[in-house]
Amino acid sequence: MDILGKSRLVVTLLAGLMMVSCSNDDTDEDLVGNWIKKSSFDGPARSSATSFVIGSFAYVATGYTGDEYLKDLWAYDSEGDYWQQKADFTGVGRSAASGFELNSKGYLGLGYDGSNKLKDFHEYDPIANIWTQKADFAGTARYSAVGFQAANKAYFGTGYDGNYLKDFYQYTPSNDTWTLVNGFSGNKRRGASTFVIDNKVYLGLGVNSGTYQVDFWMFDPATDTWTRKNDIDQDTSDDYSFNDEYVLIRSSASAFSMNGLGYIGCGENTRTIWEYDPSSDIWSEKTALEGSARTDAIGFAIKERGFILLGRTGSSYFDDVWEFKPFDTQSDDDN
């Protein structure tokens, strides 16, 4: 078992206990949303891969098969529903790396190669189909960090370097530099999830020393400020009512946004999906993923279409791809 698997063992056991109340994965017929199985991933089944979206294509690179740290790159044509292999990533094979899209190019860095935590950083040009190594990340070498881009500004932050982290750095491609940005007021963590709505970044979930994080934050790149939103833990006291049904906290989940709403799905020992409305700061449960429960999967949106793919459960690794239709009625006839 690799270091990521060992470090998640205790977290997974805790999650199993916490998710017992999640039995409505299979029994709640009132939830809305439908999952459609798409063309299976053409590469080896894996977890902890990295992705970025450029135009109508999603690019998936690196990851771990249970035996090998990978460096291959695959492009998913969302309009044709098929996969094509592209130029291999030029860094070492790795898992739990971070990535983002910026100015129609893809970026990938950080991660773990089976022996070392990493801080190298690389740019992918989809037109030329080539990778170029750029300036190393300015923070410490780490894995399970988040990467995101909003308002044409791109960032890496949080993660694990032997300690749990909460720092954030902005990347500027014009001069190939990293800059430490204003402090994040939230808790340290690895395995967090992010999505972007209207050029605002929403960040939450993750784990710190075996404790799941319940704080949820919005980042505005225009002002370089973080704003705390409603916590995502369940509270059945008389003081609150909006989160009585929440079973949302987890780590290593998948996330994406579309149609002005955010989505968090899967994570340790669960396949439940939750929808976030930024106008009300409230979460609603949707139809659970119709595939297997999984952790360390990928989530992305392509032109207002949301997908979850890959990941693992224990020692079982997946290569299936699912598209989510959040407003459709669940049907078993389209898979």
Short mmCIF file of all heavy atoms in Angstrom, two decimals, residues 189-254:
data_model
loop_
_atom_site.label_atom_id
_atom_site.label_comp_id
_atom_site.label_asym_id
_atom_site.label_seq_id
_atom_site.Cartn_x
_atom_site.Cartn_y
_atom_site.Cartn_z
N ARG A 189 -5.72 21.57 5.94
CA ARG A 189 -6.36 20.35 5.46
C ARG A 189 -5.66 19.81 4.22
O ARG A 189 -4.93 20.51 3.53
CB ARG A 189 -7.83 20.61 5.12
CG ARG A 189 -8.03 21.51 3.88
CD ARG A 189 -9.44 22.05 3.81
NE ARG A 189 -9.66 23.06 4.83
CZ ARG A 189 -10.86 23.40 5.30
NH1 ARG A 189 -11.95 22.79 4.87
NH2 ARG A 189 -10.98 24.36 6.19
N ARG A 190 -5.91 18.56 3.94
CA ARG A 190 -5.61 17.95 2.65
C ARG A 190 -6.90 17.28 2.16
O ARG A 190 -7.84 17.06 2.93
CB ARG A 190 -4.49 16.92 2.75
CG ARG A 190 -4.82 15.70 3.59
CD ARG A 190 -3.82 14.58 3.35
NE ARG A 190 -4.03 13.46 4.26
CZ ARG A 190 -4.93 12.51 4.07
NH1 ARG A 190 -5.76 12.57 3.03
NH2 ARG A 190 -5.05 11.51 4.93
N GLY A 191 -6.94 16.98 0.85
CA GLY A 191 -8.12 16.33 0.30
C GLY A 191 -9.35 17.21 0.28
O GLY A 191 -10.48 16.71 0.33
N ALA A 192 -9.15 18.54 0.19
CA ALA A 192 -10.29 19.46 0.10
C ALA A 192 -10.90 19.42 -1.31
O ALA A 192 -10.34 18.82 -2.23
CB ALA A 192 -9.84 20.88 0.43
N SER A 193 -12.03 20.08 -1.47
CA SER A 193 -12.71 20.16 -2.77
C SER A 193 -13.04 21.61 -3.08
O SER A 193 -13.35 22.39 -2.17
CB SER A 193 -14.01 19.34 -2.75
OG SER A 193 -13.74 17.98 -2.54
N THR A 194 -12.98 21.96 -4.37
CA THR A 194 -13.32 23.32 -4.81
C THR A 194 -14.16 23.27 -6.07
O THR A 194 -14.09 22.33 -6.86
CB THR A 194 -12.06 24.16 -5.11
OG1 THR A 194 -11.35 23.56 -6.21
CG2 THR A 194 -11.14 24.26 -3.91
N PHE A 195 -14.97 24.32 -6.25
CA PHE A 195 -15.63 24.57 -7.52
C PHE A 195 -15.76 26.08 -7.68
O PHE A 195 -15.62 26.84 -6.71
CB PHE A 195 -16.99 23.87 -7.63
CG PHE A 195 -17.91 24.09 -6.46
CD1 PHE A 195 -18.65 25.26 -6.33
CD2 PHE A 195 -18.07 23.11 -5.50
CE1 PHE A 195 -19.51 25.46 -5.27
CE2 PHE A 195 -18.93 23.30 -4.42
CZ PHE A 195 -19.65 24.47 -4.31
N VAL A 196 -16.01 26.53 -8.91
CA VAL A 196 -16.04 27.96 -9.23
C VAL A 196 -17.41 28.31 -9.79
O VAL A 196 -17.91 27.65 -10.71
CB VAL A 196 -14.94 28.33 -10.24
CG1 VAL A 196 -15.02 29.82 -10.60
CG2 VAL A 196 -13.56 27.99 -9.68
N ILE A 197 -18.02 29.37 -9.24
CA ILE A 197 -19.30 29.89 -9.72
C ILE A 197 -19.17 31.40 -9.85
O ILE A 197 -18.83 32.08 -8.86
CB ILE A 197 -20.45 29.55 -8.75
CG1 ILE A 197 -20.58 28.03 -8.57
CG2 ILE A 197 -21.77 30.13 -9.26
CD1 ILE A 197 -21.58 27.62 -7.51
N ASP A 198 -19.41 31.92 -11.04
CA ASP A 198 -19.37 33.37 -11.28
C ASP A 198 -18.05 33.98 -10.79
O ASP A 198 -18.04 35.02 -10.10
CB ASP A 198 -20.56 34.06 -10.60
CG ASP A 198 -21.87 33.68 -11.23
OD1 ASP A 198 -21.90 33.35 -12.43
OD2 ASP A 198 -22.90 33.69 -10.51
N ASN A 199 -16.97 33.33 -11.12
CA ASN A 199 -15.62 33.79 -10.77
C ASN A 199 -15.36 33.89 -9.28
O ASN A 199 -14.46 34.59 -8.83
CB ASN A 199 -15.32 35.15 -11.44
CG ASN A 199 -15.05 34.99 -12.92
OD1 ASN A 199 -14.42 34.03 -13.35
ND2 ASN A 199 -15.54 35.93 -13.70
N LYS A 200 -16.15 33.17 -8.50
CA LYS A 200 -15.90 33.01 -7.07
C LYS A 200 -15.57 31.53 -6.82
O LYS A 200 -16.19 30.64 -7.39
CB LYS A 200 -17.11 33.40 -6.23
CG LYS A 200 -17.65 34.80 -6.50
CD LYS A 200 -16.71 35.88 -6.05
CE LYS A 200 -17.38 37.25 -6.02
NZ LYS A 200 -17.94 37.67 -7.32
N VAL A 201 -14.59 31.31 -5.97
CA VAL A 201 -14.14 29.95 -5.66
C VAL A 201 -14.74 29.52 -4.34
O VAL A 201 -14.68 30.25 -3.34
CB VAL A 201 -12.61 29.88 -5.58
CG1 VAL A 201 -12.15 28.46 -5.28
CG2 VAL A 201 -11.97 30.40 -6.86
N TYR A 202 -15.31 28.32 -4.31
CA TYR A 202 -15.88 27.76 -3.08
C TYR A 202 -15.03 26.57 -2.66
O TYR A 202 -14.74 25.68 -3.47
CB TYR A 202 -17.33 27.36 -3.32
CG TYR A 202 -18.22 28.55 -3.59
CD1 TYR A 202 -18.32 29.08 -4.88
CD2 TYR A 202 -18.92 29.17 -2.56
CE1 TYR A 202 -19.11 30.20 -5.13
CE2 TYR A 202 -19.72 30.29 -2.81
CZ TYR A 202 -19.80 30.79 -4.10
OH TYR A 202 -20.58 31.90 -4.34
N LEU A 203 -14.63 26.56 -1.39
CA LEU A 203 -13.70 25.54 -0.89
C LEU A 203 -14.20 24.99 0.44
O LEU A 203 -14.61 25.75 1.32
CB LEU A 203 -12.30 26.14 -0.71
CG LEU A 203 -11.19 25.20 -0.21
CD1 LEU A 203 -9.85 25.63 -0.77
CD2 LEU A 203 -11.11 25.13 1.31
N GLY A 204 -14.13 23.67 0.57
CA GLY A 204 -14.51 23.04 1.82
C GLY A 204 -14.08 21.60 1.86
O GLY A 204 -13.32 21.12 1.01
N LEU A 205 -14.56 20.90 2.90
CA LEU A 205 -14.27 19.48 3.10
C LEU A 205 -12.78 19.27 3.39
O LEU A 205 -12.06 20.19 3.70
CB LEU A 205 -14.74 18.65 1.91
CG LEU A 205 -16.18 18.89 1.45
CD1 LEU A 205 -16.51 18.04 0.23
CD2 LEU A 205 -17.15 18.59 2.57
N GLY A 206 -12.32 18.02 3.29
CA GLY A 206 -10.94 17.69 3.59
C GLY A 206 -10.77 17.22 5.03
O GLY A 206 -11.73 17.16 5.82
N VAL A 207 -9.54 16.86 5.37
CA VAL A 207 -9.24 16.27 6.66
C VAL A 207 -7.97 16.86 7.23
O VAL A 207 -7.06 17.23 6.48
CB VAL A 207 -9.14 14.73 6.53
CG1 VAL A 207 -7.93 14.33 5.70
CG2 VAL A 207 -9.10 14.04 7.89
N ASN A 208 -7.90 16.97 8.55
CA ASN A 208 -6.72 17.45 9.27
C ASN A 208 -6.52 16.54 10.47
O ASN A 208 -7.34 16.52 11.38
CB ASN A 208 -6.91 18.90 9.72
CG ASN A 208 -5.69 19.46 10.45
OD1 ASN A 208 -4.84 18.73 10.94
ND2 ASN A 208 -5.62 20.78 10.54
N SER A 209 -5.44 15.74 10.42
CA SER A 209 -5.09 14.85 11.53
C SER A 209 -6.26 13.95 11.93
O SER A 209 -6.56 13.78 13.12
CB SER A 209 -4.62 15.67 12.73
OG SER A 209 -3.49 16.43 12.40
N GLY A 210 -6.95 13.39 10.94
CA GLY A 210 -8.05 12.47 11.20
C GLY A 210 -9.38 13.13 11.49
O GLY A 210 -10.38 12.43 11.69
N THR A 211 -9.42 14.46 11.49
CA THR A 211 -10.66 15.18 11.76
C THR A 211 -11.20 15.81 10.48
O THR A 211 -10.50 16.58 9.82
CB THR A 211 -10.44 16.29 12.81
OG1 THR A 211 -9.96 15.71 14.02
CG2 THR A 211 -11.73 17.05 13.08
N TYR A 212 -12.44 15.50 10.13
CA TYR A 212 -13.05 16.08 8.94
C TYR A 212 -13.38 17.55 9.19
O TYR A 212 -13.86 17.92 10.26
CB TYR A 212 -14.32 15.31 8.56
CG TYR A 212 -14.02 13.98 7.94
CD1 TYR A 212 -13.94 12.84 8.72
CD2 TYR A 212 -13.79 13.87 6.57
CE1 TYR A 212 -13.65 11.61 8.15
CE2 TYR A 212 -13.50 12.65 6.00
CZ TYR A 212 -13.43 11.53 6.79
OH TYR A 212 -13.12 10.31 6.23
N GLN A 213 -13.13 18.37 8.19
CA GLN A 213 -13.32 19.80 8.31
C GLN A 213 -14.74 20.20 7.88
O GLN A 213 -15.22 19.74 6.85
CB GLN A 213 -12.29 20.55 7.47
CG GLN A 213 -10.85 20.22 7.87
CD GLN A 213 -10.59 20.50 9.34
OE1 GLN A 213 -10.67 21.63 9.80
NE2 GLN A 213 -10.30 19.44 10.10
N VAL A 214 -15.37 21.05 8.68
CA VAL A 214 -16.76 21.43 8.41
C VAL A 214 -16.90 22.87 7.96
O VAL A 214 -18.00 23.29 7.56
CB VAL A 214 -17.64 21.21 9.67
CG1 VAL A 214 -17.57 19.76 10.12
CG2 VAL A 214 -17.23 22.15 10.80
N ASP A 215 -15.82 23.64 7.97
CA ASP A 215 -15.90 25.04 7.53
C ASP A 215 -15.94 25.10 6.01
O ASP A 215 -15.34 24.29 5.31
CB ASP A 215 -14.76 25.88 8.08
CG ASP A 215 -13.38 25.29 7.83
OD1 ASP A 215 -13.27 24.04 7.70
OD2 ASP A 215 -12.40 26.06 7.76
N PHE A 216 -16.66 26.09 5.48
CA PHE A 216 -16.86 26.23 4.03
C PHE A 216 -16.65 27.70 3.68
O PHE A 216 -17.15 28.60 4.37
CB PHE A 216 -18.27 25.77 3.66
CG PHE A 216 -18.54 25.74 2.18
CD1 PHE A 216 -17.83 24.88 1.35
CD2 PHE A 216 -19.50 26.56 1.62
CE1 PHE A 216 -18.07 24.86 -0.02
CE2 PHE A 216 -19.75 26.53 0.26
CZ PHE A 216 -19.03 25.68 -0.57
N TRP A 217 -15.92 27.97 2.59
CA TRP A 217 -15.41 29.30 2.31
C TRP A 217 -15.63 29.70 0.85
O TRP A 217 -15.65 28.85 -0.04
CB TRP A 217 -13.91 29.36 2.60
CG TRP A 217 -13.60 29.15 4.04
CD1 TRP A 217 -13.49 27.95 4.70
CD2 TRP A 217 -13.39 30.16 5.02
NE1 TRP A 217 -13.22 28.17 6.02
CE2 TRP A 217 -13.16 29.51 6.25
CE3 TRP A 217 -13.38 31.56 4.98
CZ2 TRP A 217 -12.91 30.21 7.42
CZ3 TRP A 217 -13.13 32.26 6.15
CH2 TRP A 217 -12.90 31.59 7.35
N MET A 218 -15.76 31.01 0.65
CA MET A 218 -15.79 31.58 -0.70
C MET A 218 -14.59 32.52 -0.86
O MET A 218 -14.33 33.36 0.00
CB MET A 218 -17.07 32.38 -0.93
CG MET A 218 -17.18 32.98 -2.34
SD MET A 218 -18.57 34.13 -2.51
CE MET A 218 -17.93 35.57 -1.63
N PHE A 219 -13.88 32.37 -1.97
CA PHE A 219 -12.73 33.22 -2.27
C PHE A 219 -13.06 34.09 -3.48
O PHE A 219 -13.51 33.58 -4.51
CB PHE A 219 -11.50 32.37 -2.56
CG PHE A 219 -10.29 33.15 -2.99
CD1 PHE A 219 -9.70 34.08 -2.15
CD2 PHE A 219 -9.74 32.96 -4.26
CE1 PHE A 219 -8.58 34.80 -2.55
CE2 PHE A 219 -8.63 33.66 -4.66
CZ PHE A 219 -8.04 34.60 -3.80
N ASP A 220 -12.81 35.40 -3.36
CA ASP A 220 -13.02 36.35 -4.45
C ASP A 220 -11.65 36.81 -4.96
O ASP A 220 -10.97 37.60 -4.29
CB ASP A 220 -13.83 37.55 -3.96
CG ASP A 220 -14.19 38.50 -5.09
OD1 ASP A 220 -13.65 38.37 -6.21
OD2 ASP A 220 -15.02 39.40 -4.85
N PRO A 221 -11.21 36.34 -6.14
CA PRO A 221 -9.90 36.74 -6.66
C PRO A 221 -9.80 38.24 -6.94
O PRO A 221 -8.70 38.80 -6.92
CB PRO A 221 -9.77 35.94 -7.95
CG PRO A 221 -10.75 34.83 -7.84
CD PRO A 221 -11.87 35.37 -7.03
N ALA A 222 -10.93 38.89 -7.19
CA ALA A 222 -10.90 40.33 -7.49
C ALA A 222 -10.44 41.15 -6.30
O ALA A 222 -9.78 42.18 -6.45
CB ALA A 222 -12.28 40.81 -7.95
N THR A 223 -10.77 40.69 -5.09
CA THR A 223 -10.40 41.41 -3.88
C THR A 223 -9.40 40.65 -3.02
O THR A 223 -8.95 41.16 -2.01
CB THR A 223 -11.65 41.71 -3.04
OG1 THR A 223 -12.31 40.48 -2.71
CG2 THR A 223 -12.62 42.59 -3.82
N ASP A 224 -9.09 39.42 -3.44
CA ASP A 224 -8.13 38.59 -2.70
C ASP A 224 -8.60 38.36 -1.27
O ASP A 224 -7.81 38.41 -0.32
CB ASP A 224 -6.74 39.24 -2.72
CG ASP A 224 -5.63 38.25 -2.41
OD1 ASP A 224 -5.86 37.03 -2.55
OD2 ASP A 224 -4.53 38.70 -2.00
N THR A 225 -9.90 38.10 -1.10
CA THR A 225 -10.45 37.92 0.23
C THR A 225 -11.24 36.61 0.32
O THR A 225 -11.85 36.15 -0.65
CB THR A 225 -11.40 39.07 0.61
OG1 THR A 225 -12.44 39.18 -0.39
CG2 THR A 225 -10.65 40.38 0.70
N TRP A 226 -11.23 36.02 1.53
CA TRP A 226 -11.98 34.81 1.85
C TRP A 226 -13.16 35.19 2.75
O TRP A 226 -13.00 35.97 3.69
CB TRP A 226 -11.11 33.81 2.57
CG TRP A 226 -10.01 33.23 1.74
CD1 TRP A 226 -8.74 33.70 1.56
CD2 TRP A 226 -10.10 32.03 0.95
NE1 TRP A 226 -8.03 32.88 0.72
CE2 TRP A 226 -8.83 31.84 0.34
CE3 TRP A 226 -11.11 31.10 0.71
CZ2 TRP A 226 -8.55 30.76 -0.49
CZ3 TRP A 226 -10.83 30.02 -0.12
CH2 TRP A 226 -9.57 29.86 -0.71
N THR A 227 -14.33 34.63 2.47
CA THR A 227 -15.52 34.86 3.28
C THR A 227 -16.07 33.52 3.74
O THR A 227 -16.29 32.62 2.93
CB THR A 227 -16.61 35.58 2.47
OG1 THR A 227 -16.09 36.83 1.99
CG2 THR A 227 -17.84 35.84 3.32
N ARG A 228 -16.30 33.39 5.04
CA ARG A 228 -16.83 32.13 5.55
C ARG A 228 -18.33 32.05 5.29
O ARG A 228 -19.08 32.99 5.53
CB ARG A 228 -16.55 32.00 7.05
CG ARG A 228 -16.90 30.61 7.59
CD ARG A 228 -16.27 30.34 8.93
NE ARG A 228 -16.54 28.99 9.38
CZ ARG A 228 -15.94 28.41 10.42
NH1 ARG A 228 -15.03 29.09 11.11
NH2 ARG A 228 -16.23 27.17 10.77
N LYS A 229 -18.75 30.89 4.79
CA LYS A 229 -20.15 30.62 4.54
C LYS A 229 -20.69 29.67 5.62
O LYS A 229 -19.99 29.36 6.59
CB LYS A 229 -20.32 30.00 3.14
CG LYS A 229 -19.59 30.75 2.03
CD LYS A 229 -20.06 32.18 1.88
CE LYS A 229 -21.40 32.29 1.22
NZ LYS A 229 -21.80 33.70 0.96
N ASN A 230 -21.91 29.20 5.45
CA ASN A 230 -22.47 28.25 6.41
C ASN A 230 -21.60 27.01 6.52
O ASN A 230 -21.15 26.47 5.50
CB ASN A 230 -23.88 27.81 6.00
CG ASN A 230 -24.92 28.88 6.26
OD1 ASN A 230 -24.80 29.68 7.18
ND2 ASN A 230 -25.96 28.89 5.44
N ASP A 231 -21.38 26.54 7.74
CA ASP A 231 -20.68 25.27 7.92
C ASP A 231 -21.50 24.13 7.30
O ASP A 231 -22.72 24.24 7.13
CB ASP A 231 -20.44 24.98 9.40
CG ASP A 231 -19.35 25.86 10.00
OD1 ASP A 231 -18.72 26.63 9.25
OD2 ASP A 231 -19.13 25.77 11.22
N ILE A 232 -20.82 23.04 6.99
CA ILE A 232 -21.49 21.95 6.28
C ILE A 232 -21.76 20.74 7.17
O ILE A 232 -22.08 19.67 6.67
CB ILE A 232 -20.66 21.51 5.06
CG1 ILE A 232 -19.25 21.07 5.49
CG2 ILE A 232 -20.58 22.63 4.03
CD1 ILE A 232 -18.43 20.49 4.35
N ASP A 233 -21.64 20.90 8.49
CA ASP A 233 -21.94 19.78 9.38
C ASP A 233 -23.42 19.73 9.69
O ASP A 233 -24.16 20.70 9.53
CB ASP A 233 -21.13 19.89 10.68
CG ASP A 233 -21.39 21.19 11.42
OD1 ASP A 233 -21.72 22.20 10.76
OD2 ASP A 233 -21.27 21.21 12.66
N GLN A 234 -23.86 18.56 10.14
CA GLN A 234 -25.26 18.37 10.49
C GLN A 234 -25.52 18.96 11.88
O GLN A 234 -24.72 18.81 12.79
CB GLN A 234 -25.58 16.88 10.49
CG GLN A 234 -27.03 16.53 10.70
CD GLN A 234 -27.24 15.04 10.67
OE1 GLN A 234 -26.71 14.31 11.50
NE2 GLN A 234 -28.02 14.57 9.71
N ASP A 235 -26.64 19.63 12.04
CA ASP A 235 -27.00 20.23 13.32
C ASP A 235 -28.50 20.09 13.51
O ASP A 235 -29.29 20.68 12.78
CB ASP A 235 -26.60 21.71 13.36
CG ASP A 235 -26.75 22.33 14.75
OD1 ASP A 235 -27.52 21.76 15.56
OD2 ASP A 235 -26.12 23.35 15.02
N THR A 236 -28.88 19.26 14.46
CA THR A 236 -30.31 19.01 14.68
C THR A 236 -30.86 19.78 15.88
O THR A 236 -31.94 19.50 16.36
CB THR A 236 -30.56 17.50 14.90
OG1 THR A 236 -29.77 17.05 16.02
CG2 THR A 236 -30.17 16.71 13.66
N SER A 237 -30.09 20.76 16.37
CA SER A 237 -30.58 21.57 17.49
C SER A 237 -31.66 22.53 17.02
O SER A 237 -31.92 22.68 15.83
CB SER A 237 -29.42 22.37 18.10
OG SER A 237 -29.01 23.40 17.21
N ASP A 238 -32.28 23.19 17.98
CA ASP A 238 -33.35 24.14 17.65
C ASP A 238 -32.81 25.43 17.06
O ASP A 238 -33.58 26.25 16.53
CB ASP A 238 -34.17 24.46 18.91
CG ASP A 238 -34.94 23.26 19.42
OD1 ASP A 238 -35.24 22.38 18.60
OD2 ASP A 238 -35.23 23.21 20.63
N ASP A 239 -31.48 25.62 17.13
CA ASP A 239 -30.90 26.88 16.66
C ASP A 239 -30.89 26.98 15.14
O ASP A 239 -30.91 28.07 14.59
CB ASP A 239 -29.47 27.02 17.18
CG ASP A 239 -29.43 27.11 18.70
OD1 ASP A 239 -30.43 27.55 19.29
OD2 ASP A 239 -28.40 26.72 19.29
N TYR A 240 -30.84 25.84 14.46
CA TYR A 240 -30.75 25.83 13.01
C TYR A 240 -31.74 24.82 12.44
O TYR A 240 -32.15 23.89 13.12
CB TYR A 240 -29.34 25.46 12.54
CG TYR A 240 -28.27 26.39 13.07
CD1 TYR A 240 -27.51 26.04 14.19
CD2 TYR A 240 -28.01 27.60 12.45
CE1 TYR A 240 -26.53 26.89 14.67
CE2 TYR A 240 -27.04 28.46 12.94
CZ TYR A 240 -26.29 28.09 14.05
OH TYR A 240 -25.33 28.93 14.53
N SER A 241 -32.10 25.01 11.19
CA SER A 241 -32.95 24.03 10.52
C SER A 241 -32.43 23.68 9.14
O SER A 241 -32.77 22.64 8.59
CB SER A 241 -34.39 24.54 10.42
OG SER A 241 -34.42 25.75 9.67
N PHE A 242 -31.59 24.57 8.57
CA PHE A 242 -31.18 24.37 7.18
C PHE A 242 -30.33 23.11 7.01
O PHE A 242 -30.28 22.53 5.93
CB PHE A 242 -30.42 25.58 6.65
CG PHE A 242 -29.06 25.79 7.27
CD1 PHE A 242 -27.93 25.17 6.74
CD2 PHE A 242 -28.90 26.61 8.37
CE1 PHE A 242 -26.68 25.35 7.30
CE2 PHE A 242 -27.65 26.81 8.94
CZ PHE A 242 -26.53 26.17 8.40
N ASN A 243 -29.62 22.67 8.05
CA ASN A 243 -28.68 21.56 7.89
C ASN A 243 -29.06 20.33 8.70
O ASN A 243 -28.21 19.49 9.01
CB ASN A 243 -27.27 22.01 8.27
CG ASN A 243 -27.17 22.54 9.69
OD1 ASN A 243 -28.18 22.79 10.34
ND2 ASN A 243 -25.95 22.72 10.16
N ASP A 244 -30.34 20.18 9.03
CA ASP A 244 -30.76 19.00 9.80
C ASP A 244 -30.49 17.70 9.06
O ASP A 244 -30.23 16.67 9.68
CB ASP A 244 -32.28 19.08 10.10
CG ASP A 244 -32.61 20.15 11.12
OD1 ASP A 244 -31.67 20.75 11.67
OD2 ASP A 244 -33.81 20.40 11.35
N GLU A 245 -30.55 17.72 7.73
CA GLU A 245 -30.42 16.49 6.94
C GLU A 245 -29.01 16.32 6.37
O GLU A 245 -28.76 15.36 5.64
CB GLU A 245 -31.43 16.50 5.79
CG GLU A 245 -32.88 16.68 6.22
CD GLU A 245 -33.35 15.54 7.11
OE1 GLU A 245 -32.93 14.39 6.87
OE2 GLU A 245 -34.13 15.81 8.05
N TYR A 246 -28.10 17.22 6.66
CA TYR A 246 -26.77 17.15 6.05
C TYR A 246 -26.03 15.88 6.47
O TYR A 246 -25.94 15.56 7.67
CB TYR A 246 -25.91 18.35 6.46
CG TYR A 246 -26.21 19.64 5.73
CD1 TYR A 246 -27.31 19.79 4.92
CD2 TYR A 246 -25.36 20.73 5.87
CE1 TYR A 246 -27.57 20.97 4.26
CE2 TYR A 246 -25.60 21.93 5.22
CZ TYR A 246 -26.72 22.05 4.42
OH TYR A 246 -26.97 23.23 3.77
N VAL A 247 -25.51 15.15 5.50
CA VAL A 247 -24.52 14.09 5.71
C VAL A 247 -23.46 14.33 4.66
O VAL A 247 -23.29 13.57 3.71
CB VAL A 247 -25.14 12.68 5.59
CG1 VAL A 247 -24.13 11.63 6.06
CG2 VAL A 247 -26.42 12.57 6.39
N LEU A 248 -22.75 15.42 4.81
CA LEU A 248 -21.95 16.00 3.73
C LEU A 248 -20.45 15.94 3.98
O LEU A 248 -19.67 15.89 3.03
CB LEU A 248 -22.40 17.46 3.53
CG LEU A 248 -21.74 18.30 2.45
CD1 LEU A 248 -21.87 17.63 1.08
CD2 LEU A 248 -22.38 19.68 2.42
N ILE A 249 -20.01 15.96 5.23
CA ILE A 249 -18.58 16.05 5.49
C ILE A 249 -17.85 14.80 5.01
O ILE A 249 -18.34 13.69 5.16
CB ILE A 249 -18.28 16.33 6.98
CG1 ILE A 249 -18.88 15.25 7.88
CG2 ILE A 249 -18.79 17.69 7.37
CD1 ILE A 249 -18.47 15.41 9.33
N ARG A 250 -16.67 15.01 4.42
CA ARG A 250 -15.88 13.94 3.82
C ARG A 250 -14.57 14.51 3.31
O ARG A 250 -14.35 15.72 3.33
CB ARG A 250 -16.65 13.29 2.66
CG ARG A 250 -16.94 14.26 1.52
CD ARG A 250 -17.97 13.72 0.55
NE ARG A 250 -19.30 13.69 1.14
CZ ARG A 250 -20.39 13.21 0.52
NH1 ARG A 250 -20.29 12.73 -0.71
NH2 ARG A 250 -21.55 13.23 1.11
N SER A 251 -13.70 13.65 2.82
CA SER A 251 -12.44 14.06 2.23
C SER A 251 -12.27 13.35 0.89
O SER A 251 -12.95 12.36 0.61
CB SER A 251 -11.28 13.70 3.16
OG SER A 251 -10.03 14.06 2.61
N SER A 252 -11.39 13.89 0.05
CA SER A 252 -11.06 13.28 -1.25
C SER A 252 -12.31 13.07 -2.10
O SER A 252 -12.45 12.04 -2.78
CB SER A 252 -10.32 11.96 -1.04
OG SER A 252 -9.17 12.17 -0.27
N ALA A 253 -13.21 14.05 -2.06
CA ALA A 253 -14.43 14.00 -2.86
C ALA A 253 -14.18 14.59 -4.24
O ALA A 253 -13.12 15.16 -4.52
CB ALA A 253 -15.54 14.76 -2.15
N SER A 254 -15.18 14.49 -5.11
CA SER A 254 -15.14 15.07 -6.45
C SER A 254 -16.04 16.30 -6.48
O SER A 254 -17.05 16.35 -5.79
CB SER A 254 -15.62 14.05 -7.49
OG SER A 254 -14.89 12.84 -7.38
#
